[in-house]
Amino acid sequence: MTIGKDFLSDYATRKQDICISNDTISDNLFKEYGVNRGLRDLNGKGVLTGLTNISKIISFKDGPDGQRVPCDGELWYRGYNVKTLTDSIKPGEFGFEKIAYLLLFGQLPSEAELKEFTDIIGKSRTLPTNFTRDVIMKAPSKDIMNSMTRSILTLASYDPLVSAAGIDNNIRQCLSLIATFPMLAVYGYHAYNHYENDSSMYIHRPDPALSTAENFLRMLRPDNKYTELEARVLDMALILHMEHGGGNNSTFTTRVVTSAGTDTYSAIAAAMSSLKGPKHGGANIKVMEMMQDIRTHVKDWDDKDEVKAYLAKMLDGQVFDHKGLIYGMGHAVYSLSDPRERIFRGYVEKLSVAKDRGKEMNLYNTIEEVAPELIAEKRHIFKGVSPNVDFYSGFVYEMLGIPMELYTPLFAIARIVGWSAHRLEEIVGMNKIIRPAYMSVMKEIE
């Protein structure tokens, strides 16, 4: 692909300094007017912008003196602690569809309702005739998020009721996207892998009788095969990434764009564009890159002192990407612990045993132990530091043989449920365009 025309690139290069000069706003002005960059205060607490019934995150509780004190994190879906929900999934059972029903409709399904919902999702795993050939394979890209977003917007062209305003129509559109997201992701990857990497092309059709996690692995792998443990671990990863409050960037994007009255496809495409940002959906990729760097430069993974010494260099910006960060440690909201990581870790350990990756699992355990201590020593922190769910998710995806290009798309396959729930809640209960205020600090010249 040719990147622009030379004269256009040259012009843009010459103009970048003047753009930076005229668009820079002093830190002092933000302090003077009490404006919080990123809609977060100095302690990381988000500015209140809405109300929701869908989920809740707890990271602080009231202490005996009335002060807010850090606590073990909790994540709640529709009135249920996510730990309770995940514990209720029986051996051999997959929970993604049941919990998707809960988030979308606000209550747990009966056995009959779950069967009907699962059947509906299974039957909806279809794309328009020749869509894979004419859309997905037409312009393959290593950026599968871009490929999926293009496909989402193109699907709108096939929907005669694309802009119909009824709640029932929006439910239909959301369910259709939830069902087809794994196809858009996997087919997008196979098209890229074939045309760009000269590998074989596999387009396996989904099985309507299988769960979302099973279908993803079935469509991705050349032989369609997977173990029950592999599918259950992926199912749990999808559940834990499904929803995370209304304040995360992509969910807030969904609500902002929905409030303007746009269609479902446009709102979800906007959320995709948010999620693909490296500050949002790409955290597990950064963890994997960091872990590869550690594996390369630490000779004895079992030597806790050697691991700690290298992490100290990382915090000082001397090694890896020189950003002074240990990726996968800490979270914008959680303080003492990320509940998703605590739930997920047990599944990671089981998979590491099955895949004979115990040595690497021990390295992760060592980093989880010593990194918070180092960060506490070297940084001023107010709420504690602990591993987040992204610390392990990339390791799981690697053990499952999932290519890195699909890490963020997998996040989207899960989070489309939360986006859909928030879109429906926004349509039902808000009916007012979201329009925050920006204070002008422009100097009048004339």
Side-chain angles (χ1 to χ4, degrees):
M1 177 181 176
T2 303
I3 303 177
K5 300 175 181 177
D6 288 342
F7 69 85
L8 186 57
S9 296
D10 290 343
Y11 181 80
T13 299
R14 286 188 282 112
K15 289 298 181 183
Q16 67 177 346
D17 288 342
I18 192 171
C19 187
I20 292 170
S21 175
N22 288 325
D23 285 345
T24 298
I25 297 175
S26 167
D27 290 345
N28 292 330
L29 289 176
F30 283 90
K31 294 177 182 178
E32 180 180 345
Y33 294 112
V35 175
N36 297 318
R37 276 195 174 102
L39 294 180
R40 310 196 73 78
D41 64 22
L42 295 178
N43 292 327
K45 184 179 180 181
V47 173
L48 189 62
T49 58
L51 304 174
T52 182
N53 274 317
I54 296 168
S55 64
K56 177 172 69 172
I57 298 169
I58 296 175
S59 56
F60 288 83
K61 290 188 176 179
D62 292 330
D65 57 356
Q67 296 293 316
R68 300 282 284 169
V69 294
C71 66
D72 283 324
E74 297 177 17
L75 175 60
W76 293 67
Y77 290 171
R78 293 286 194 177
Y80 296 90
N81 192 311
V82 75
K83 179 71 165 61
T84 304
L85 292 172
T86 55
D87 285 346
S88 72
I89 300 171
K90 301 171 185 175
E93 183 180 47
F94 297 96
F96 179 86
E97 286 71 22
K98 178 173 73 174
I99 297 176
Y101 184 100
L102 169 67
L103 283 172
L104 289 168
F105 303 122
Q107 58 193 50
L108 284 169
S110 66
E111 287 190 17
E113 288 170 332
L114 178 58
K115 184 181 185 308
E116 180 186 31
F117 180 76
T118 302
D119 288 346
I120 290 291
I121 293 293
K123 292 176 182 176
S124 298
R125 296 194 198 282
T126 61
L127 293 170
T129 303
N130 296 329
F131 189 91
T132 302
R133 182 195 69 189
D134 295 342
V135 179
I136 298 176
M137 295 171 62
K138 188 67 73 175
S141 169
K142 181 177 182 179
D143 190 329
I144 309 303
M145 292 293 284
N146 275 356
S147 171
M148 290 178 69
T149 302
R150 183 179 69 246
S151 293
I152 293 163
L153 290 172
T154 307
L155 282 171
S157 303
Y158 292 82
D159 187 346
L161 299 176
V162 59
S163 297
I167 293 298
D168 57 345
N169 187 56
N170 279 276
I171 292 172
R172 174 187 65 83
Q173 291 169 333
C174 288
L175 292 179
S176 176
L177 288 174
I178 290 169
T180 55
F181 255 41
M183 301 170 71
L184 300 182
V186 174
Y187 294 172
Y189 172 75
H190 282 316
Y192 152 73
N193 200 34
H194 173 65
Y195 288 108
E196 300 298 327
N197 295 337
D198 203 27
S199 295
S200 297
M201 170 77 80
Y202 302 98
I203 301 295
H204 299 310
R205 298 303 176 198
D207 184 339
L210 298 179
S211 69
T212 297
E214 290 173 298
N215 264 311
F216 182 89
L217 294 174
R218 180 182 186 277
M219 291 188 292
L220 178 64
R221 295 178 173 178
D223 61 3
N224 298 134
K225 294 181 180 178
Y226 55 88
T227 67
E228 181 183 329
L229 176 61
E230 288 177 323
R232 278 179 54 74
V233 172
L234 182 57
D235 180 68
M236 185 56 58
L238 294 174
I239 291 169
L240 295 175
H241 284 88
M242 192 181 287
E243 161 63 6
H244 207 238
N248 69 80
N249 195 280
S250 57
T251 301
F252 186 56
T253 297
T254 303
R255 299 197 74 134
V256 169
V257 178
T258 294
S259 77
T262 195
D263 63 271
T264 299
Y265 302 94
S266 297
I268 299 303
M272 290 288 289
S273 299
S274 162
L275 186 68
K276 69 163 288 189
K279 294 181 180 179
H280 188 4
N284 52 22
I285 296 176
K286 202 68 181 176
V287 172
M288 291 303 294
E289 293 171 348
M290 178 190 75
M291 292 302 297
Q292 181 56 46
D293 181 82
I294 292 171
R295 287 193 293 261
T296 300
H297 292 96
V298 174
K299 294 179 180 179
D300 184 356
W301 299 352
D302 294 324
D303 187 335
K304 187 182 296 186
D305 291 334
E306 185 182 0
V307 173
K308 186 172 183 178
Y310 193 75
L311 291 176
K313 290 181 180 179
M314 194 174 289
L315 272 179
D316 290 337
Q318 298 175 19
V319 296
F320 185 41
D321 62 358
H322 307 288
K323 296 287 182 64
L325 298 172
I326 299 176
Y327 294 94
M329 291 292 147
H331 190 272
V333 178
Y334 294 118
S335 53
L336 299 186
S337 65
D338 180 340
R340 302 168 301 170
E341 181 269 338
R342 289 198 167 179
I343 294 168
F344 199 38
R345 183 178 174 184
Y347 289 83
V348 181
E349 289 176 340
K350 289 178 183 177
L351 188 62
S352 70
V353 171
K355 298 290 184 180
D356 196 23
R357 302 286 291 273
K359 186 175 177 63
E360 287 173 88
M361 188 71 220
N362 289 337
L363 176 60
Y364 273 84
N365 288 337
T366 298
I367 294 171
E368 178 174 349
E369 178 184 345
V370 303
E373 299 172 0
L374 273 172
I375 295 170
E377 291 172 10
K378 292 176 173 287
R379 299 284 191 273
H380 174 68
I381 53 175
F382 69 96
K383 61 173 186 169
V385 175
S386 60
N388 58 54
V389 69
D390 293 312
F391 183 63
Y392 286 113
S393 61
F395 183 38
V396 163
Y397 298 158
E398 185 202 3
M399 287 192 287
L400 291 175
I402 297 170
M404 200 172 290
E405 291 88 350
L406 282 172
Y407 286 11
T408 308
L410 260 175
F411 197 160
I413 289 169
R415 190 56 63 85
I416 173 67
V417 177
W419 295 337
S420 296
H422 282 274
R423 173 169 171 79
L424 295 174
E425 187 180 57
E426 186 71 28
I427 293 171
V428 169
M430 306 308 158
N431 198 31
K432 194 174 183 67
I433 190 170
I434 296 173
R435 191 187 184 283
Y438 269 67
M439 174 176 286
S440 175
V441 292
M442 174 187 66
K443 293 182 180 179
E444 296 183 4
I445 298 174
E446 61 177 20

Short mmCIF file of all heavy atoms in Angstrom, two decimals, residues 60-104:
data_model
loop_
_atom_site.label_atom_id
_atom_site.label_comp_id
_atom_site.label_asym_id
_atom_site.label_seq_id
_atom_site.Cartn_x
_atom_site.Cartn_y
_atom_site.Cartn_z
N PHE A 60 -13.28 0.92 46.42
CA PHE A 60 -13.09 1.60 47.70
C PHE A 60 -14.34 1.40 48.56
O PHE A 60 -15.45 1.25 48.03
CB PHE A 60 -12.88 3.12 47.49
CG PHE A 60 -11.56 3.48 46.90
CD1 PHE A 60 -11.36 3.42 45.52
CD2 PHE A 60 -10.50 3.89 47.69
CE1 PHE A 60 -10.15 3.76 44.95
CE2 PHE A 60 -9.28 4.23 47.13
CZ PHE A 60 -9.11 4.16 45.76
N LYS A 61 -14.14 1.40 49.87
CA LYS A 61 -15.27 1.35 50.79
C LYS A 61 -15.05 2.38 51.89
O LYS A 61 -13.93 2.85 52.10
CB LYS A 61 -15.42 -0.06 51.38
CG LYS A 61 -15.91 -1.09 50.36
CD LYS A 61 -16.23 -2.43 50.98
CE LYS A 61 -16.81 -3.38 49.94
NZ LYS A 61 -17.12 -4.72 50.51
N ASP A 62 -16.12 2.72 52.59
CA ASP A 62 -16.03 3.72 53.65
C ASP A 62 -15.34 3.12 54.88
O ASP A 62 -15.72 2.05 55.36
CB ASP A 62 -17.42 4.22 54.05
CG ASP A 62 -18.07 5.04 52.95
OD1 ASP A 62 -17.32 5.68 52.18
OD2 ASP A 62 -19.31 5.03 52.85
N GLY A 63 -14.30 3.83 55.37
CA GLY A 63 -13.61 3.40 56.56
C GLY A 63 -14.32 3.88 57.82
O GLY A 63 -15.30 4.62 57.75
N PRO A 64 -13.83 3.50 58.99
CA PRO A 64 -14.47 3.88 60.25
C PRO A 64 -14.49 5.39 60.49
O PRO A 64 -15.36 5.89 61.20
CB PRO A 64 -13.63 3.15 61.31
CG PRO A 64 -12.33 2.84 60.64
CD PRO A 64 -12.65 2.63 59.20
N ASP A 65 -13.53 6.10 59.88
CA ASP A 65 -13.48 7.56 60.07
C ASP A 65 -14.20 8.30 58.95
O ASP A 65 -14.10 9.52 58.84
CB ASP A 65 -12.03 8.03 60.16
CG ASP A 65 -11.23 7.63 58.92
OD1 ASP A 65 -11.79 6.94 58.04
OD2 ASP A 65 -10.05 8.03 58.82
N GLY A 66 -14.93 7.56 58.11
CA GLY A 66 -15.66 8.19 57.02
C GLY A 66 -14.85 8.39 55.76
O GLY A 66 -15.39 8.82 54.74
N GLN A 67 -13.55 8.10 55.82
CA GLN A 67 -12.70 8.24 54.64
C GLN A 67 -12.84 7.02 53.73
O GLN A 67 -13.09 5.91 54.18
CB GLN A 67 -11.24 8.39 55.07
CG GLN A 67 -10.95 9.66 55.87
CD GLN A 67 -11.10 10.91 55.03
OE1 GLN A 67 -10.65 10.97 53.90
NE2 GLN A 67 -11.75 11.92 55.61
N ARG A 68 -12.69 7.25 52.43
CA ARG A 68 -12.72 6.16 51.47
C ARG A 68 -11.39 5.42 51.51
O ARG A 68 -10.32 6.02 51.40
CB ARG A 68 -12.96 6.70 50.06
CG ARG A 68 -14.26 7.48 49.90
CD ARG A 68 -15.45 6.55 49.78
NE ARG A 68 -15.52 5.94 48.46
CZ ARG A 68 -16.33 4.93 48.15
NH1 ARG A 68 -17.08 4.39 49.09
NH2 ARG A 68 -16.35 4.45 46.94
N VAL A 69 -11.45 4.11 51.70
CA VAL A 69 -10.22 3.32 51.79
C VAL A 69 -10.24 2.24 50.72
O VAL A 69 -11.29 1.70 50.37
CB VAL A 69 -10.08 2.68 53.19
CG1 VAL A 69 -9.89 3.73 54.25
CG2 VAL A 69 -11.28 1.80 53.51
N PRO A 70 -9.06 1.91 50.17
CA PRO A 70 -8.99 0.87 49.14
C PRO A 70 -9.47 -0.47 49.69
O PRO A 70 -9.28 -0.79 50.86
CB PRO A 70 -7.50 0.82 48.79
CG PRO A 70 -6.94 2.13 49.21
CD PRO A 70 -7.73 2.52 50.43
N CYS A 71 -10.09 -1.27 48.82
CA CYS A 71 -10.56 -2.60 49.22
C CYS A 71 -10.38 -3.55 48.04
O CYS A 71 -10.10 -3.14 46.91
CB CYS A 71 -12.03 -2.56 49.64
SG CYS A 71 -13.17 -2.16 48.29
N ASP A 72 -10.55 -4.84 48.31
CA ASP A 72 -10.51 -5.81 47.22
C ASP A 72 -11.62 -5.48 46.21
O ASP A 72 -12.75 -5.17 46.60
CB ASP A 72 -10.71 -7.23 47.76
CG ASP A 72 -9.44 -7.77 48.41
OD1 ASP A 72 -8.35 -7.46 47.91
OD2 ASP A 72 -9.54 -8.50 49.41
N GLY A 73 -11.27 -5.55 44.94
CA GLY A 73 -12.21 -5.14 43.91
C GLY A 73 -13.38 -6.10 43.77
O GLY A 73 -13.27 -7.30 44.01
N GLU A 74 -14.51 -5.54 43.39
CA GLU A 74 -15.71 -6.32 43.08
C GLU A 74 -16.28 -5.83 41.76
O GLU A 74 -16.27 -4.63 41.47
CB GLU A 74 -16.77 -6.17 44.18
CG GLU A 74 -16.36 -6.68 45.54
CD GLU A 74 -17.42 -6.43 46.60
OE1 GLU A 74 -18.58 -6.15 46.23
OE2 GLU A 74 -17.08 -6.49 47.79
N LEU A 75 -16.79 -6.76 40.97
CA LEU A 75 -17.48 -6.44 39.72
C LEU A 75 -18.85 -7.10 39.76
O LEU A 75 -18.95 -8.30 40.02
CB LEU A 75 -16.67 -6.94 38.51
CG LEU A 75 -17.31 -6.79 37.13
CD1 LEU A 75 -17.59 -5.32 36.81
CD2 LEU A 75 -16.43 -7.42 36.05
N TRP A 76 -19.89 -6.31 39.53
CA TRP A 76 -21.26 -6.80 39.60
C TRP A 76 -21.94 -6.64 38.25
O TRP A 76 -21.83 -5.60 37.60
CB TRP A 76 -22.05 -6.02 40.66
CG TRP A 76 -21.59 -6.25 42.07
CD1 TRP A 76 -20.40 -5.88 42.63
CD2 TRP A 76 -22.32 -6.91 43.11
NE1 TRP A 76 -20.33 -6.25 43.94
CE2 TRP A 76 -21.51 -6.89 44.28
CE3 TRP A 76 -23.59 -7.50 43.18
CZ2 TRP A 76 -21.92 -7.44 45.48
CZ3 TRP A 76 -23.99 -8.05 44.39
CH2 TRP A 76 -23.17 -8.02 45.52
N TYR A 77 -22.64 -7.69 37.83
CA TYR A 77 -23.47 -7.64 36.61
C TYR A 77 -24.94 -7.74 37.02
O TYR A 77 -25.37 -8.75 37.60
CB TYR A 77 -23.18 -8.84 35.70
CG TYR A 77 -21.84 -8.86 34.99
CD1 TYR A 77 -21.43 -10.01 34.31
CD2 TYR A 77 -20.97 -7.77 34.99
CE1 TYR A 77 -20.22 -10.07 33.63
CE2 TYR A 77 -19.76 -7.82 34.33
CZ TYR A 77 -19.38 -8.97 33.65
OH TYR A 77 -18.17 -9.03 32.99
N ARG A 78 -25.70 -6.71 36.78
CA ARG A 78 -27.16 -6.72 36.99
C ARG A 78 -27.56 -7.25 38.37
O ARG A 78 -28.47 -8.07 38.52
CB ARG A 78 -27.84 -7.57 35.91
CG ARG A 78 -27.76 -7.00 34.50
CD ARG A 78 -28.70 -5.82 34.33
NE ARG A 78 -28.87 -5.49 32.90
CZ ARG A 78 -29.68 -4.53 32.46
NH1 ARG A 78 -30.38 -3.82 33.32
NH2 ARG A 78 -29.78 -4.30 31.16
N GLY A 79 -26.85 -6.80 39.41
CA GLY A 79 -27.19 -7.17 40.77
C GLY A 79 -26.51 -8.41 41.29
O GLY A 79 -26.72 -8.80 42.45
N TYR A 80 -25.68 -9.06 40.46
CA TYR A 80 -24.97 -10.27 40.87
C TYR A 80 -23.46 -10.03 40.86
O TYR A 80 -22.93 -9.48 39.88
CB TYR A 80 -25.27 -11.44 39.93
CG TYR A 80 -26.71 -11.90 39.92
CD1 TYR A 80 -27.63 -11.33 39.03
CD2 TYR A 80 -27.15 -12.90 40.77
CE1 TYR A 80 -28.95 -11.75 39.01
CE2 TYR A 80 -28.47 -13.33 40.75
CZ TYR A 80 -29.37 -12.75 39.87
OH TYR A 80 -30.68 -13.17 39.85
N ASN A 81 -22.80 -10.45 41.93
CA ASN A 81 -21.35 -10.42 41.94
C ASN A 81 -20.84 -11.38 40.87
O ASN A 81 -21.30 -12.53 40.78
CB ASN A 81 -20.83 -10.84 43.32
CG ASN A 81 -19.34 -10.56 43.49
OD1 ASN A 81 -18.52 -10.90 42.65
ND2 ASN A 81 -19.00 -9.94 44.61
N VAL A 82 -19.90 -10.92 40.04
CA VAL A 82 -19.44 -11.76 38.94
C VAL A 82 -18.80 -13.05 39.44
O VAL A 82 -18.84 -14.08 38.76
CB VAL A 82 -18.47 -10.97 38.03
CG1 VAL A 82 -17.10 -10.81 38.67
CG2 VAL A 82 -18.35 -11.62 36.66
N LYS A 83 -18.26 -13.02 40.66
CA LYS A 83 -17.70 -14.25 41.25
C LYS A 83 -18.82 -15.28 41.48
O LYS A 83 -18.64 -16.48 41.21
CB LYS A 83 -17.02 -13.91 42.59
CG LYS A 83 -16.42 -15.11 43.32
CD LYS A 83 -15.19 -15.63 42.61
CE LYS A 83 -14.36 -16.57 43.49
NZ LYS A 83 -15.07 -17.78 43.94
N THR A 84 -19.96 -14.82 41.93
CA THR A 84 -21.11 -15.72 42.12
C THR A 84 -21.56 -16.30 40.79
O THR A 84 -21.87 -17.49 40.69
CB THR A 84 -22.27 -14.97 42.78
OG1 THR A 84 -21.84 -14.39 44.02
CG2 THR A 84 -23.45 -15.89 43.04
N LEU A 85 -21.59 -15.45 39.78
CA LEU A 85 -22.03 -15.91 38.45
C LEU A 85 -21.07 -16.95 37.88
O LEU A 85 -21.50 -17.98 37.35
CB LEU A 85 -22.14 -14.72 37.50
CG LEU A 85 -23.25 -13.72 37.79
CD1 LEU A 85 -23.11 -12.50 36.88
CD2 LEU A 85 -24.62 -14.36 37.60
N THR A 86 -19.78 -16.69 37.98
CA THR A 86 -18.82 -17.64 37.42
C THR A 86 -18.78 -18.94 38.22
O THR A 86 -18.60 -20.02 37.65
CB THR A 86 -17.41 -17.02 37.34
OG1 THR A 86 -17.01 -16.54 38.63
CG2 THR A 86 -17.39 -15.86 36.36
N ASP A 87 -18.98 -18.84 39.53
CA ASP A 87 -19.02 -20.05 40.36
C ASP A 87 -20.23 -20.93 40.02
O ASP A 87 -20.22 -22.14 40.26
CB ASP A 87 -19.05 -19.70 41.84
CG ASP A 87 -17.70 -19.23 42.38
OD1 ASP A 87 -16.69 -19.42 41.66
OD2 ASP A 87 -17.67 -18.66 43.48
N SER A 88 -21.28 -20.30 39.49
CA SER A 88 -22.51 -21.05 39.20
C SER A 88 -22.44 -21.84 37.90
O SER A 88 -23.33 -22.65 37.62
CB SER A 88 -23.70 -20.08 39.13
OG SER A 88 -23.64 -19.30 37.93
N ILE A 89 -21.39 -21.63 37.12
CA ILE A 89 -21.24 -22.37 35.86
C ILE A 89 -20.78 -23.78 36.17
O ILE A 89 -19.73 -23.99 36.78
CB ILE A 89 -20.24 -21.65 34.92
CG1 ILE A 89 -20.75 -20.24 34.61
CG2 ILE A 89 -20.04 -22.44 33.63
CD1 ILE A 89 -19.75 -19.39 33.87
N LYS A 90 -21.54 -24.76 35.75
CA LYS A 90 -21.27 -26.15 36.09
C LYS A 90 -20.19 -26.75 35.19
O LYS A 90 -19.95 -26.25 34.08
CB LYS A 90 -22.56 -26.96 35.95
CG LYS A 90 -23.70 -26.46 36.83
CD LYS A 90 -24.99 -27.17 36.49
CE LYS A 90 -26.16 -26.57 37.28
NZ LYS A 90 -27.46 -27.18 36.88
N PRO A 91 -19.51 -27.81 35.64
CA PRO A 91 -18.53 -28.49 34.80
C PRO A 91 -19.16 -28.91 33.47
O PRO A 91 -20.27 -29.46 33.44
CB PRO A 91 -18.12 -29.71 35.64
CG PRO A 91 -18.38 -29.28 37.05
CD PRO A 91 -19.60 -28.41 36.99
N GLY A 92 -18.46 -28.64 32.39
CA GLY A 92 -18.97 -28.99 31.06
C GLY A 92 -19.94 -27.98 30.50
O GLY A 92 -20.42 -28.12 29.36
N GLU A 93 -20.28 -26.94 31.28
CA GLU A 93 -21.23 -25.92 30.84
C GLU A 93 -20.47 -24.68 30.39
O GLU A 93 -19.39 -24.37 30.90
CB GLU A 93 -22.16 -25.57 32.01
CG GLU A 93 -23.25 -24.57 31.67
CD GLU A 93 -24.13 -24.25 32.88
OE1 GLU A 93 -23.58 -24.00 33.98
OE2 GLU A 93 -25.36 -24.26 32.72
N PHE A 94 -21.04 -23.94 29.45
CA PHE A 94 -20.46 -22.69 29.00
C PHE A 94 -21.40 -21.55 29.41
O PHE A 94 -22.62 -21.66 29.27
CB PHE A 94 -20.24 -22.71 27.49
CG PHE A 94 -19.26 -23.76 27.06
CD1 PHE A 94 -19.69 -25.00 26.62
CD2 PHE A 94 -17.89 -23.52 27.14
CE1 PHE A 94 -18.79 -25.98 26.26
CE2 PHE A 94 -16.98 -24.50 26.78
CZ PHE A 94 -17.43 -25.74 26.33
N GLY A 95 -20.82 -20.47 29.94
CA GLY A 95 -21.64 -19.43 30.56
C GLY A 95 -21.84 -18.16 29.77
O GLY A 95 -22.64 -17.31 30.17
N PHE A 96 -21.13 -17.99 28.64
CA PHE A 96 -21.20 -16.73 27.92
C PHE A 96 -22.63 -16.35 27.55
O PHE A 96 -23.07 -15.22 27.78
CB PHE A 96 -20.34 -16.81 26.65
CG PHE A 96 -20.36 -15.57 25.81
CD1 PHE A 96 -19.50 -14.51 26.07
CD2 PHE A 96 -21.25 -15.44 24.75
CE1 PHE A 96 -19.52 -13.36 25.30
CE2 PHE A 96 -21.27 -14.29 23.96
CZ PHE A 96 -20.40 -13.25 24.24
N GLU A 97 -23.37 -17.30 27.00
CA GLU A 97 -24.72 -16.99 26.53
C GLU A 97 -25.66 -16.65 27.69
O GLU A 97 -26.46 -15.71 27.59
CB GLU A 97 -25.26 -18.16 25.71
CG GLU A 97 -24.65 -18.30 24.32
CD GLU A 97 -23.20 -18.79 24.32
OE1 GLU A 97 -22.78 -19.43 25.32
OE2 GLU A 97 -22.49 -18.54 23.34
N LYS A 98 -25.55 -17.38 28.80
CA LYS A 98 -26.42 -17.12 29.95
C LYS A 98 -26.17 -15.73 30.52
O LYS A 98 -27.12 -14.98 30.83
CB LYS A 98 -26.19 -18.17 31.04
CG LYS A 98 -27.02 -17.93 32.30
CD LYS A 98 -26.92 -19.08 33.29
CE LYS A 98 -25.60 -19.13 33.99
NZ LYS A 98 -25.56 -20.16 35.07
N ILE A 99 -24.90 -15.35 30.63
CA ILE A 99 -24.59 -14.06 31.23
C ILE A 99 -24.84 -12.93 30.23
O ILE A 99 -25.17 -11.80 30.61
CB ILE A 99 -23.15 -14.08 31.78
CG1 ILE A 99 -23.08 -15.13 32.90
CG2 ILE A 99 -22.75 -12.71 32.33
CD1 ILE A 99 -21.72 -15.35 33.49
N ALA A 100 -24.73 -13.23 28.93
CA ALA A 100 -25.12 -12.24 27.92
C ALA A 100 -26.61 -11.92 28.05
O ALA A 100 -27.02 -10.75 27.97
CB ALA A 100 -24.81 -12.76 26.52
N TYR A 101 -27.43 -12.95 28.25
CA TYR A 101 -28.87 -12.74 28.45
C TYR A 101 -29.11 -11.85 29.67
O TYR A 101 -29.93 -10.91 29.62
CB TYR A 101 -29.55 -14.09 28.63
CG TYR A 101 -31.06 -14.03 28.76
CD1 TYR A 101 -31.88 -14.31 27.68
CD2 TYR A 101 -31.68 -13.68 29.98
CE1 TYR A 101 -33.28 -14.26 27.79
CE2 TYR A 101 -33.05 -13.61 30.10
CZ TYR A 101 -33.85 -13.90 29.00
OH TYR A 101 -35.22 -13.83 29.12
N LEU A 102 -28.39 -12.13 30.76
CA LEU A 102 -28.52 -11.33 31.98
C LEU A 102 -28.21 -9.86 31.71
O LEU A 102 -28.97 -8.97 32.12
CB LEU A 102 -27.59 -11.89 33.05
CG LEU A 102 -27.39 -11.04 34.32
CD1 LEU A 102 -28.68 -10.96 35.12
CD2 LEU A 102 -26.26 -11.61 35.18
N LEU A 103 -27.10 -9.59 31.05
CA LEU A 103 -26.71 -8.20 30.81
C LEU A 103 -27.68 -7.49 29.88
O LEU A 103 -28.01 -6.31 30.09
CB LEU A 103 -25.29 -8.15 30.23
CG LEU A 103 -24.16 -8.38 31.23
CD1 LEU A 103 -22.82 -8.51 30.51
CD2 LEU A 103 -24.09 -7.24 32.25
N LEU A 104 -28.15 -8.18 28.87
CA LEU A 104 -29.04 -7.54 27.90
C LEU A 104 -30.42 -7.28 28.45
O LEU A 104 -31.00 -6.21 28.23
CB LEU A 104 -29.15 -8.42 26.65
CG LEU A 104 -27.91 -8.51 25.76
CD1 LEU A 104 -28.06 -9.63 24.75
CD2 LEU A 104 -27.66 -7.18 25.06
#
